[in-house]
Amino acid sequence: VRTLAVLALLVTGLFSVGSLAQMQAAPSAAKIAGQVQAFYDQTRSVEASFDQTYFHKLYRRYDRSRGTLRILKPGRMRWDYAEPNGKVLVADGKRLRVFEPGEDGAPGQIIERSLKGAQLPDALSFLTGGARLESLFEMRLLDARKQGYEAGHVLELRPLQPSSHYDRILFYVDAHPDRLGLVHRVMIIDAAGNRNRFDFK
């Protein structure tokens, strides 16, 4: 059906041969997701520094922090926040532990809960192994130029099972032949329009 539609457009002069070739060469969302999956499936451990920007839509406020992320398969993840307060998140595949430092010299506290429903481990489960993107998300490619990321592809993922913690996730994926599938940025967007952005180095 698609071939017949393209031929009809060519006949009516609404589609050029050049633009047809460009459309045929354009990657699909499934192909980019496959590259991401392949890159991280063959990676046993990951260490990266990150800059996090959280946008509160209701208050029109940005909160910024930075730190280091370490991942060791299967399922282990640790976030060390250097700024602003030294918070630490540790996931062992089943439980998430969060250390919140106290203010003005007060003792900190440790919060422990199940990994299920925790936004970060859930949204980044592909990094820790065991998660298959195509079985968890409906996917499409966004216009990378409009997203300010002309160096690669922007893959939008919407969970097949609705989540109370996020509405969709954007992966900003490297297009360089030597780094196919490498994710440089993750944007987590919830139903209220709040945006949690991570830039990895």
PDB file of all heavy atoms in Angstrom, residues 6-23:
ATOM      1  N   VAL A   6       3.348   6.024  -2.780  1.00  0.00           N
ATOM      2  CA  VAL A   6       4.530   6.770  -3.222  1.00  0.00           C
ATOM      3  C   VAL A   6       4.539   6.918  -4.730  1.00  0.00           C
ATOM      4  O   VAL A   6       4.845   7.984  -5.273  1.00  0.00           O
ATOM      5  CB  VAL A   6       5.814   6.071  -2.723  1.00  0.00           C
ATOM      6  CG1 VAL A   6       7.049   6.701  -3.356  1.00  0.00           C
ATOM      7  CG2 VAL A   6       5.910   6.152  -1.201  1.00  0.00           C
ATOM      8  N   LEU A   7       4.193   5.827  -5.426  1.00  0.00           N
ATOM      9  CA  LEU A   7       4.138   5.899  -6.893  1.00  0.00           C
ATOM     10  C   LEU A   7       3.105   6.927  -7.344  1.00  0.00           C
ATOM     11  O   LEU A   7       3.327   7.673  -8.309  1.00  0.00           O
ATOM     12  CB  LEU A   7       3.800   4.528  -7.461  1.00  0.00           C
ATOM     13  CG  LEU A   7       4.933   3.481  -7.419  1.00  0.00           C
ATOM     14  CD1 LEU A   7       4.413   2.120  -7.849  1.00  0.00           C
ATOM     15  CD2 LEU A   7       6.093   3.931  -8.306  1.00  0.00           C
ATOM     16  N   ALA A   8       1.974   6.972  -6.663  1.00  0.00           N
ATOM     17  CA  ALA A   8       0.938   7.940  -7.020  1.00  0.00           C
ATOM     18  C   ALA A   8       1.447   9.363  -6.842  1.00  0.00           C
ATOM     19  O   ALA A   8       1.179  10.246  -7.663  1.00  0.00           O
ATOM     20  CB  ALA A   8      -0.303   7.706  -6.159  1.00  0.00           C
ATOM     21  N   LEU A   9       2.192   9.594  -5.771  1.00  0.00           N
ATOM     22  CA  LEU A   9       2.739  10.930  -5.538  1.00  0.00           C
ATOM     23  C   LEU A   9       3.760  11.305  -6.605  1.00  0.00           C
ATOM     24  O   LEU A   9       3.833  12.455  -7.044  1.00  0.00           O
ATOM     25  CB  LEU A   9       3.392  10.996  -4.144  1.00  0.00           C
ATOM     26  CG  LEU A   9       2.412  10.986  -2.963  1.00  0.00           C
ATOM     27  CD1 LEU A   9       3.165  10.792  -1.663  1.00  0.00           C
ATOM     28  CD2 LEU A   9       1.630  12.289  -2.928  1.00  0.00           C
ATOM     29  N   LEU A  10       4.565  10.319  -7.018  1.00  0.00           N
ATOM     30  CA  LEU A  10       5.551  10.587  -8.072  1.00  0.00           C
ATOM     31  C   LEU A  10       4.854  10.956  -9.382  1.00  0.00           C
ATOM     32  O   LEU A  10       5.271  11.872 -10.088  1.00  0.00           O
ATOM     33  CB  LEU A  10       6.430   9.352  -8.280  1.00  0.00           C
ATOM     34  CG  LEU A  10       7.546   9.131  -7.246  1.00  0.00           C
ATOM     35  CD1 LEU A  10       8.163   7.751  -7.431  1.00  0.00           C
ATOM     36  CD2 LEU A  10       8.612  10.209  -7.399  1.00  0.00           C
ATOM     37  N   VAL A  11       3.796  10.228  -9.698  1.00  0.00           N
ATOM     38  CA  VAL A  11       3.067  10.479 -10.937  1.00  0.00           C
ATOM     39  C   VAL A  11       2.453  11.866 -10.930  1.00  0.00           C
ATOM     40  O   VAL A  11       2.461  12.583 -11.929  1.00  0.00           O
ATOM     41  CB  VAL A  11       1.972   9.398 -11.144  1.00  0.00           C
ATOM     42  CG1 VAL A  11       1.058   9.782 -12.291  1.00  0.00           C
ATOM     43  CG2 VAL A  11       2.631   8.051 -11.417  1.00  0.00           C
ATOM     44  N   THR A  12       1.927  12.293  -9.775  1.00  0.00           N
ATOM     45  CA  THR A  12       1.277  13.591  -9.706  1.00  0.00           C
ATOM     46  C   THR A  12       2.279  14.734  -9.519  1.00  0.00           C
ATOM     47  O   THR A  12       1.894  15.892  -9.469  1.00  0.00           O
ATOM     48  CB  THR A  12       0.278  13.631  -8.541  1.00  0.00           C
ATOM     49  OG1 THR A  12       0.946  13.303  -7.320  1.00  0.00           O
ATOM     50  CG2 THR A  12      -0.846  12.635  -8.765  1.00  0.00           C
ATOM     51  N   GLY A  13       3.563  14.390  -9.395  1.00  0.00           N
ATOM     52  CA  GLY A  13       4.584  15.430  -9.296  1.00  0.00           C
ATOM     53  C   GLY A  13       4.700  16.057  -7.929  1.00  0.00           C
ATOM     54  O   GLY A  13       5.369  17.072  -7.777  1.00  0.00           O
ATOM     55  N   LEU A  14       4.077  15.455  -6.917  1.00  0.00           N
ATOM     56  CA  LEU A  14       4.133  16.027  -5.569  1.00  0.00           C
ATOM     57  C   LEU A  14       5.319  15.507  -4.772  1.00  0.00           C
ATOM     58  O   LEU A  14       5.565  15.936  -3.662  1.00  0.00           O
ATOM     59  CB  LEU A  14       2.832  15.694  -4.809  1.00  0.00           C
ATOM     60  CG  LEU A  14       1.564  16.278  -5.405  1.00  0.00           C
ATOM     61  CD1 LEU A  14       0.348  15.784  -4.608  1.00  0.00           C
ATOM     62  CD2 LEU A  14       1.612  17.801  -5.407  1.00  0.00           C
ATOM     63  N   PHE A  15       6.069  14.590  -5.348  1.00  0.00           N
ATOM     64  CA  PHE A  15       7.168  13.946  -4.630  1.00  0.00           C
ATOM     65  C   PHE A  15       8.343  13.857  -5.587  1.00  0.00           C
ATOM     66  O   PHE A  15       8.205  13.361  -6.704  1.00  0.00           O
ATOM     67  CB  PHE A  15       6.718  12.541  -4.205  1.00  0.00           C
ATOM     68  CG  PHE A  15       7.265  12.101  -2.905  1.00  0.00           C
ATOM     69  CD1 PHE A  15       6.685  12.509  -1.721  1.00  0.00           C
ATOM     70  CD2 PHE A  15       8.366  11.266  -2.857  1.00  0.00           C
ATOM     71  CE1 PHE A  15       7.172  12.077  -0.509  1.00  0.00           C
ATOM     72  CE2 PHE A  15       8.864  10.838  -1.662  1.00  0.00           C
ATOM     73  CZ  PHE A  15       8.267  11.240  -0.481  1.00  0.00           C
ATOM     74  N   SER A  16       9.499  14.341  -5.206  1.00  0.00           N
ATOM     75  CA  SER A  16      10.670  14.283  -6.072  1.00  0.00           C
ATOM     76  C   SER A  16      11.423  12.985  -5.841  1.00  0.00           C
ATOM     77  O   SER A  16      11.294  12.355  -4.795  1.00  0.00           O
ATOM     78  CB  SER A  16      11.604  15.457  -5.786  1.00  0.00           C
ATOM     79  OG  SER A  16      12.216  15.315  -4.519  1.00  0.00           O
ATOM     80  N   VAL A  17      12.227  12.593  -6.834  1.00  0.00           N
ATOM     81  CA  VAL A  17      13.031  11.379  -6.705  1.00  0.00           C
ATOM     82  C   VAL A  17      14.017  11.524  -5.560  1.00  0.00           C
ATOM     83  O   VAL A  17      14.275  10.591  -4.801  1.00  0.00           O
ATOM     84  CB  VAL A  17      13.766  11.082  -8.028  1.00  0.00           C
ATOM     85  CG1 VAL A  17      14.710   9.897  -7.854  1.00  0.00           C
ATOM     86  CG2 VAL A  17      12.760  10.795  -9.134  1.00  0.00           C
ATOM     87  N   GLY A  18      14.578  12.722  -5.392  1.00  0.00           N
ATOM     88  CA  GLY A  18      15.528  12.964  -4.301  1.00  0.00           C
ATOM     89  C   GLY A  18      14.893  12.776  -2.943  1.00  0.00           C
ATOM     90  O   GLY A  18      15.479  12.169  -2.048  1.00  0.00           O
ATOM     91  N   SER A  19      13.696  13.303  -2.766  1.00  0.00           N
ATOM     92  CA  SER A  19      13.043  13.163  -1.465  1.00  0.00           C
ATOM     93  C   SER A  19      12.607  11.724  -1.220  1.00  0.00           C
ATOM     94  O   SER A  19      12.538  11.269  -0.087  1.00  0.00           O
ATOM     95  CB  SER A  19      11.839  14.105  -1.361  1.00  0.00           C
ATOM     96  OG  SER A  19      10.911  13.850  -2.387  1.00  0.00           O
ATOM     97  N   LEU A  20      12.309  10.980  -2.295  1.00  0.00           N
ATOM     98  CA  LEU A  20      11.988   9.565  -2.150  1.00  0.00           C
ATOM     99  C   LEU A  20      13.186   8.799  -1.621  1.00  0.00           C
ATOM    100  O   LEU A  20      13.080   7.990  -0.700  1.00  0.00           O
ATOM    101  CB  LEU A  20      11.541   8.980  -3.490  1.00  0.00           C
ATOM    102  CG  LEU A  20      11.328   7.454  -3.529  1.00  0.00           C
ATOM    103  CD1 LEU A  20      10.227   7.065  -2.546  1.00  0.00           C
ATOM    104  CD2 LEU A  20      11.001   7.000  -4.933  1.00  0.00           C
ATOM    105  N   ALA A  21      14.372   9.069  -2.177  1.00  0.00           N
ATOM    106  CA  ALA A  21      15.590   8.402  -1.721  1.00  0.00           C
ATOM    107  C   ALA A  21      15.881   8.746  -0.264  1.00  0.00           C
ATOM    108  O   ALA A  21      16.305   7.896   0.512  1.00  0.00           O
ATOM    109  CB  ALA A  21      16.767   8.812  -2.607  1.00  0.00           C
ATOM    110  N   GLN A  22      15.642   9.999   0.105  1.00  0.00           N
ATOM    111  CA  GLN A  22      15.863  10.431   1.482  1.00  0.00           C
ATOM    112  C   GLN A  22      14.932   9.709   2.435  1.00  0.00           C
ATOM    113  O   GLN A  22      15.326   9.288   3.520  1.00  0.00           O
ATOM    114  CB  GLN A  22      15.667  11.941   1.605  1.00  0.00           C
ATOM    115  CG  GLN A  22      16.026  12.490   2.976  1.00  0.00           C
ATOM    116  CD  GLN A  22      15.846  13.990   3.029  1.00  0.00           C
ATOM    117  OE1 GLN A  22      15.131  14.580   2.230  1.00  0.00           O
ATOM    118  NE2 GLN A  22      16.512  14.627   3.969  1.00  0.00           N
ATOM    119  N   MET A  23      13.650   9.517   2.032  1.00  0.00           N
ATOM    120  CA  MET A  23      12.698   8.826   2.880  1.00  0.00           C
ATOM    121  C   MET A  23      13.096   7.363   3.068  1.00  0.00           C
ATOM    122  O   MET A  23      13.019   6.820   4.164  1.00  0.00           O
ATOM    123  CB  MET A  23      11.303   8.902   2.269  1.00  0.00           C
ATOM    124  CG  MET A  23      10.223   8.291   3.156  1.00  0.00           C
ATOM    125  SD  MET A  23       8.655   8.128   2.305  1.00  0.00           S
ATOM    126  CE  MET A  23       8.996   6.709   1.279  1.00  0.00           C
TER     127      MET A  23
END
